[in-house]
Amino acid sequence: MAGAELDLVVERARPAADGVVELILRAADGAELPAWEPGAHVDLELRPDLVRQYSLCGDPADRTRWRLGVLREPGGRGGSAFVHDELADGVKVRARGPRNHFALHDAPRHLFIAGGIGITPIVPMLAAAGNDWRLVYGGRTRASMAFVDELVAAHGDRIDIRPQDETGLLDLDTLFADLDAGSLVYCCGPEALLAAVEERVPAGRLHVERFAPAELADPVRADDFEVELARSGLTLTVPPDRSILHTLEDAGITVLSSCQEGTCGTCETGVLAGEPDHRDFLLTPDERAANDTMFICVSRSCSPRLVLDL
């Protein structure tokens, strides 16, 4: 599930907007990079203890380079500051991926809604979405919105640029008033925007990507549960105050992980039996109902025992 391990070098780092840096990465050995599709992201291992996920926003047909756009978050946990301050031209960085939990699905029509740096996974979708689509792109100010000139030059009046200081907040009620049954909505941006869109669009027609977790209800089970590891033959007890991932780590079992918030997909694990309490922000309702995979950094169990493909 984790994708390839790659040694990359920064070919170019330059401002893309106020507070946003554009990174162009290539393989350190000049090799071709792994293929990817719109919506994919990669993990950057900035330090051994600092791994962050960033969306690919270049051309999927170009296997020589990857492009990322990274917003500096003054109140963040250090990842964006490291990217802005340390990843200059020529600097090497370790990467893992790509992975895609925000894939573009075929539909007669697509409506894309981006808020701020949420534009990054949507940029490559536009060329792949067919002939009937629209992008509404909001941000604090025009100067803070990355890739505006590029998008308008490539797509013209299909792009609706909505800086908040010029036009106010996005009028979602009007935007969705004439949304027809054949449309799929793709949205990425701050949590307030995602929550507002989720209130207005049925789950089966909406795809969102979160950069940070939303608030969760309490777990279904307040007590212990067991996880049986089918391949290793171990059975472990997961207490209420420990995640499945941390319980495995306590037992000396290594599973790749990154965000530990249910947003990146690194720790995805197959479920062979039992009913997970899905607490991630990646699986669709149908994928949750299938109960054949889960993200063990945050998800727990509805049943007394889970059997995992580990």
Side-chain angles (χ1 to χ4, degrees):
M1 299 293 182
E5 297 277 350
L6 304 161
D7 289 312
L8 306 179
V9 63
V10 179
E11 181 177 288
R12 186 173 71 245
R14 66 183 181 188
D18 290 349
V20 179
V21 65
E22 176 192 58
L23 296 181
I24 305 297
L25 306 174
R26 58 175 173 81
D29 61 1
E32 194 173 69
L33 294 170
W36 61 280
E37 295 182 350
H41 70 270
V42 294
D43 297 346
L44 293 188
E45 186 180 295
L46 306 172
R47 296 192 307 259
D49 64 338
L50 188 63
V51 180
R52 295 292 184 266
Q53 297 75 43
Y54 299 108
S55 297
L56 293 167
C57 60
D59 179 1
D62 184 356
R63 299 285 297 276
T64 66
R65 292 169 179 83
W66 283 346
R67 180 172 77 156
L68 311 177
V70 181
L71 171 69
R72 181 189 284 273
E73 299 183 59
R77 297 175 296 161
S80 66
F82 187 101
V83 170
H84 279 251
D85 297 338
E86 305 294 336
L87 294 191
D89 295 4
V91 172
K92 292 184 178 180
V93 62
R94 186 77 169 161
R96 187 166 62 230
R99 290 190 309 278
N100 198 344
H101 294 283
F102 192 47
L104 180 66
H105 297 277
D106 290 336
R109 286 161 295 281
H110 292 88
L111 173 60
F112 300 102
I113 303 170
I117 199 62
I119 191 62
T120 51
I122 290 174
V123 169
M125 292 183 175
L126 304 181
N131 295 319
D132 196 349
W133 60 264
R134 177 188 178 196
L135 166 64
V136 180
Y137 179 14
R140 292 182 293 102
T141 65
R142 190 175 295 267
S144 72
M145 298 167 67
F147 312 127
V148 166
D149 291 342
E150 168 189 324
L151 291 169
V152 172
H155 303 293
D157 58 8
R158 292 188 182 193
I159 310 295
D160 189 359
I161 304 298
R162 294 282 180 170
Q164 185 176 339
D165 64 339
E166 298 176 21
T167 63
L169 294 173
L170 297 181
D171 185 353
L172 297 178
D173 290 330
T174 299
L175 183 61
F176 297 133
D178 58 354
L179 187 68
D180 61 79
S183 297
L184 287 183
V185 178
Y186 279 75
C187 183
C188 185
E191 180 56 34
L193 173 63
L194 298 183
V197 171
E198 287 175 327
E199 288 179 356
R200 292 165 170 82
V201 182
R205 297 169 60 194
L206 175 63
H207 298 267
V208 303
E209 181 163 71
R210 282 179 159 85
F211 294 140
E215 290 188 15
L216 289 169
D218 291 337
V220 172
R221 295 183 65 89
D223 54 353
D224 298 350
F225 61 92
E226 291 185 338
V227 289
E228 178 184 337
L229 310 183
R231 282 186 274 149
S232 59
L234 293 177
T235 297
L236 304 172
T237 298
V238 181
D241 61 346
R242 298 292 281 170
S243 67
I244 297 174
L245 176 66
H246 289 148
T247 300
L248 297 182
E249 291 175 342
D250 292 344
I253 299 164
T254 300
V255 177
L256 286 175
S257 66
S258 182
C259 73
Q260 300 196 19
E261 295 178 330
T263 59
C264 78
T266 306
C267 68
E268 185 172 2
T269 301
V271 179
L272 303 179
E275 182 184 356
D277 176 10
H278 296 291
R279 300 173 63 76
D280 64 275
F281 302 96
L282 296 165
L283 296 178
T284 66
D286 287 346
E287 289 169 337
R288 290 185 174 214
N291 283 332
D292 57 5
T293 192
M294 68 184 299
F295 299 95
I296 60 174
C297 65
V298 292
S299 295
R300 301 185 67 79
S301 183
C302 298
S303 53
R305 176 188 285 251
L306 290 174
V307 181
L308 302 181
D309 188 16
L310 291 172

PDB file of all heavy atoms in Angstrom, residues 14-23 68-70 143-148:
ATOM      1  N   ARG A  14      10.348  27.610  -6.198  1.00  0.00           N
ATOM      2  CA  ARG A  14      10.073  29.014  -6.466  1.00  0.00           C
ATOM      3  C   ARG A  14       8.690  29.361  -5.927  1.00  0.00           C
ATOM      4  O   ARG A  14       7.825  28.489  -5.784  1.00  0.00           O
ATOM      5  CB  ARG A  14      10.136  29.303  -7.962  1.00  0.00           C
ATOM      6  CG  ARG A  14       9.056  28.611  -8.777  1.00  0.00           C
ATOM      7  CD  ARG A  14       9.228  28.883 -10.259  1.00  0.00           C
ATOM      8  NE  ARG A  14       8.171  28.240 -11.046  1.00  0.00           N
ATOM      9  CZ  ARG A  14       8.172  28.180 -12.379  1.00  0.00           C
ATOM     10  NH1 ARG A  14       9.180  28.703 -13.058  1.00  0.00           N
ATOM     11  NH2 ARG A  14       7.178  27.602 -13.010  1.00  0.00           N
ATOM     12  N   PRO A  15       8.444  30.650  -5.639  1.00  0.00           N
ATOM     13  CA  PRO A  15       7.130  31.046  -5.144  1.00  0.00           C
ATOM     14  C   PRO A  15       6.060  30.819  -6.210  1.00  0.00           C
ATOM     15  O   PRO A  15       6.262  31.111  -7.384  1.00  0.00           O
ATOM     16  CB  PRO A  15       7.301  32.535  -4.834  1.00  0.00           C
ATOM     17  CG  PRO A  15       8.773  32.745  -4.696  1.00  0.00           C
ATOM     18  CD  PRO A  15       9.407  31.777  -5.636  1.00  0.00           C
ATOM     19  N   ALA A  16       4.897  30.303  -5.772  1.00  0.00           N
ATOM     20  CA  ALA A  16       3.752  30.135  -6.656  1.00  0.00           C
ATOM     21  C   ALA A  16       2.622  31.092  -6.295  1.00  0.00           C
ATOM     22  O   ALA A  16       1.709  31.294  -7.095  1.00  0.00           O
ATOM     23  CB  ALA A  16       3.241  28.702  -6.593  1.00  0.00           C
ATOM     24  N   ALA A  17       2.672  31.655  -5.093  1.00  0.00           N
ATOM     25  CA  ALA A  17       1.701  32.637  -4.594  1.00  0.00           C
ATOM     26  C   ALA A  17       2.211  33.085  -3.240  1.00  0.00           C
ATOM     27  O   ALA A  17       3.207  32.552  -2.730  1.00  0.00           O
ATOM     28  CB  ALA A  17       0.305  32.016  -4.471  1.00  0.00           C
ATOM     29  N   ASP A  18       1.549  34.051  -2.639  1.00  0.00           N
ATOM     30  CA  ASP A  18       1.951  34.468  -1.294  1.00  0.00           C
ATOM     31  C   ASP A  18       1.833  33.278  -0.345  1.00  0.00           C
ATOM     32  O   ASP A  18       0.743  32.728  -0.161  1.00  0.00           O
ATOM     33  CB  ASP A  18       1.048  35.605  -0.793  1.00  0.00           C
ATOM     34  CG  ASP A  18       1.285  36.915  -1.523  1.00  0.00           C
ATOM     35  OD1 ASP A  18       2.285  37.015  -2.264  1.00  0.00           O
ATOM     36  OD2 ASP A  18       0.462  37.840  -1.342  1.00  0.00           O
ATOM     37  N   GLY A  19       2.952  32.874   0.239  1.00  0.00           N
ATOM     38  CA  GLY A  19       2.938  31.781   1.200  1.00  0.00           C
ATOM     39  C   GLY A  19       2.943  30.394   0.592  1.00  0.00           C
ATOM     40  O   GLY A  19       2.840  29.414   1.324  1.00  0.00           O
ATOM     41  N   VAL A  20       3.052  30.275  -0.728  1.00  0.00           N
ATOM     42  CA  VAL A  20       3.036  28.977  -1.398  1.00  0.00           C
ATOM     43  C   VAL A  20       4.317  28.816  -2.208  1.00  0.00           C
ATOM     44  O   VAL A  20       4.686  29.719  -2.974  1.00  0.00           O
ATOM     45  CB  VAL A  20       1.823  28.816  -2.336  1.00  0.00           C
ATOM     46  CG1 VAL A  20       1.856  27.464  -3.037  1.00  0.00           C
ATOM     47  CG2 VAL A  20       0.521  28.977  -1.554  1.00  0.00           C
ATOM     48  N   VAL A  21       4.994  27.678  -2.049  1.00  0.00           N
ATOM     49  CA  VAL A  21       6.166  27.367  -2.853  1.00  0.00           C
ATOM     50  C   VAL A  21       5.832  26.231  -3.808  1.00  0.00           C
ATOM     51  O   VAL A  21       5.123  25.287  -3.448  1.00  0.00           O
ATOM     52  CB  VAL A  21       7.379  26.991  -1.973  1.00  0.00           C
ATOM     53  CG1 VAL A  21       7.146  25.697  -1.200  1.00  0.00           C
ATOM     54  CG2 VAL A  21       8.644  26.867  -2.815  1.00  0.00           C
ATOM     55  N   GLU A  22       6.303  26.356  -5.040  1.00  0.00           N
ATOM     56  CA  GLU A  22       6.185  25.292  -6.027  1.00  0.00           C
ATOM     57  C   GLU A  22       7.507  24.525  -6.062  1.00  0.00           C
ATOM     58  O   GLU A  22       8.572  25.122  -6.225  1.00  0.00           O
ATOM     59  CB  GLU A  22       5.895  25.878  -7.405  1.00  0.00           C
ATOM     60  CG  GLU A  22       5.860  24.849  -8.517  1.00  0.00           C
ATOM     61  CD  GLU A  22       5.849  25.480  -9.909  1.00  0.00           C
ATOM     62  OE1 GLU A  22       6.804  26.245 -10.224  1.00  0.00           O
ATOM     63  OE2 GLU A  22       4.892  25.223 -10.655  1.00  0.00           O
ATOM     64  N   LEU A  23       7.433  23.204  -5.884  1.00  0.00           N
ATOM     65  CA  LEU A  23       8.609  22.349  -5.961  1.00  0.00           C
ATOM     66  C   LEU A  23       8.546  21.502  -7.221  1.00  0.00           C
ATOM     67  O   LEU A  23       7.509  20.888  -7.507  1.00  0.00           O
ATOM     68  CB  LEU A  23       8.680  21.401  -4.761  1.00  0.00           C
ATOM     69  CG  LEU A  23       8.861  21.983  -3.368  1.00  0.00           C
ATOM     70  CD1 LEU A  23       8.916  20.847  -2.350  1.00  0.00           C
ATOM     71  CD2 LEU A  23      10.127  22.836  -3.279  1.00  0.00           C
ATOM     72  N   LEU A  68       4.849  19.820  -6.919  1.00  0.00           N
ATOM     73  CA  LEU A  68       4.065  19.969  -5.699  1.00  0.00           C
ATOM     74  C   LEU A  68       3.866  21.454  -5.426  1.00  0.00           C
ATOM     75  O   LEU A  68       4.701  22.282  -5.798  1.00  0.00           O
ATOM     76  CB  LEU A  68       4.787  19.357  -4.485  1.00  0.00           C
ATOM     77  CG  LEU A  68       5.354  17.943  -4.597  1.00  0.00           C
ATOM     78  CD1 LEU A  68       6.090  17.579  -3.308  1.00  0.00           C
ATOM     79  CD2 LEU A  68       4.257  16.942  -4.875  1.00  0.00           C
ATOM     80  N   GLY A  69       2.786  21.770  -4.738  1.00  0.00           N
ATOM     81  CA  GLY A  69       2.581  23.110  -4.217  1.00  0.00           C
ATOM     82  C   GLY A  69       2.367  23.016  -2.719  1.00  0.00           C
ATOM     83  O   GLY A  69       1.493  22.272  -2.259  1.00  0.00           O
ATOM     84  N   VAL A  70       3.156  23.761  -1.946  1.00  0.00           N
ATOM     85  CA  VAL A  70       3.130  23.624  -0.483  1.00  0.00           C
ATOM     86  C   VAL A  70       2.882  24.986   0.155  1.00  0.00           C
ATOM     87  O   VAL A  70       3.630  25.947  -0.078  1.00  0.00           O
ATOM     88  CB  VAL A  70       4.450  23.024   0.037  1.00  0.00           C
ATOM     89  CG1 VAL A  70       4.396  22.875   1.562  1.00  0.00           C
ATOM     90  CG2 VAL A  70       4.711  21.670  -0.621  1.00  0.00           C
ATOM     91  N   ALA A 143      -3.713  37.151  -4.592  1.00  0.00           N
ATOM     92  CA  ALA A 143      -2.266  36.953  -4.505  1.00  0.00           C
ATOM     93  C   ALA A 143      -1.895  35.679  -3.752  1.00  0.00           C
ATOM     94  O   ALA A 143      -0.791  35.151  -3.919  1.00  0.00           O
ATOM     95  CB  ALA A 143      -1.611  38.162  -3.833  1.00  0.00           C
ATOM     96  N   SER A 144      -2.817  35.181  -2.915  1.00  0.00           N
ATOM     97  CA  SER A 144      -2.528  33.970  -2.135  1.00  0.00           C
ATOM     98  C   SER A 144      -2.916  32.692  -2.867  1.00  0.00           C
ATOM     99  O   SER A 144      -2.675  31.594  -2.356  1.00  0.00           O
ATOM    100  CB  SER A 144      -3.267  34.024  -0.791  1.00  0.00           C
ATOM    101  OG  SER A 144      -4.673  33.828  -0.967  1.00  0.00           O
ATOM    102  N   MET A 145      -3.492  32.815  -4.054  1.00  0.00           N
ATOM    103  CA  MET A 145      -4.044  31.665  -4.774  1.00  0.00           C
ATOM    104  C   MET A 145      -3.066  31.196  -5.850  1.00  0.00           C
ATOM    105  O   MET A 145      -2.806  31.913  -6.826  1.00  0.00           O
ATOM    106  CB  MET A 145      -5.399  32.032  -5.371  1.00  0.00           C
ATOM    107  CG  MET A 145      -6.430  32.409  -4.319  1.00  0.00           C
ATOM    108  SD  MET A 145      -7.934  33.202  -4.964  1.00  0.00           S
ATOM    109  CE  MET A 145      -8.664  31.839  -5.878  1.00  0.00           C
ATOM    110  N   ALA A 146      -2.526  29.988  -5.658  1.00  0.00           N
ATOM    111  CA  ALA A 146      -1.510  29.460  -6.562  1.00  0.00           C
ATOM    112  C   ALA A 146      -2.103  29.055  -7.905  1.00  0.00           C
ATOM    113  O   ALA A 146      -3.251  28.602  -7.981  1.00  0.00           O
ATOM    114  CB  ALA A 146      -0.818  28.255  -5.921  1.00  0.00           C
ATOM    115  N   PHE A 147      -1.307  29.215  -8.958  1.00  0.00           N
ATOM    116  CA  PHE A 147      -1.576  28.704 -10.309  1.00  0.00           C
ATOM    117  C   PHE A 147      -2.757  29.392 -10.999  1.00  0.00           C
ATOM    118  O   PHE A 147      -3.266  28.871 -11.999  1.00  0.00           O
ATOM    119  CB  PHE A 147      -1.801  27.182 -10.286  1.00  0.00           C
ATOM    120  CG  PHE A 147      -0.767  26.418  -9.518  1.00  0.00           C
ATOM    121  CD1 PHE A 147      -1.142  25.526  -8.514  1.00  0.00           C
ATOM    122  CD2 PHE A 147       0.577  26.591  -9.781  1.00  0.00           C
ATOM    123  CE1 PHE A 147      -0.185  24.817  -7.796  1.00  0.00           C
ATOM    124  CE2 PHE A 147       1.545  25.889  -9.059  1.00  0.00           C
ATOM    125  CZ  PHE A 147       1.165  25.005  -8.073  1.00  0.00           C
ATOM    126  N   VAL A 148      -3.203  30.551 -10.512  1.00  0.00           N
ATOM    127  CA  VAL A 148      -4.362  31.213 -11.111  1.00  0.00           C
ATOM    128  C   VAL A 148      -4.113  31.546 -12.580  1.00  0.00           C
ATOM    129  O   VAL A 148      -4.922  31.220 -13.456  1.00  0.00           O
ATOM    130  CB  VAL A 148      -4.734  32.489 -10.320  1.00  0.00           C
ATOM    131  CG1 VAL A 148      -5.706  33.350 -11.119  1.00  0.00           C
ATOM    132  CG2 VAL A 148      -5.360  32.115  -8.988  1.00  0.00           C
TER     133      VAL A 148
END
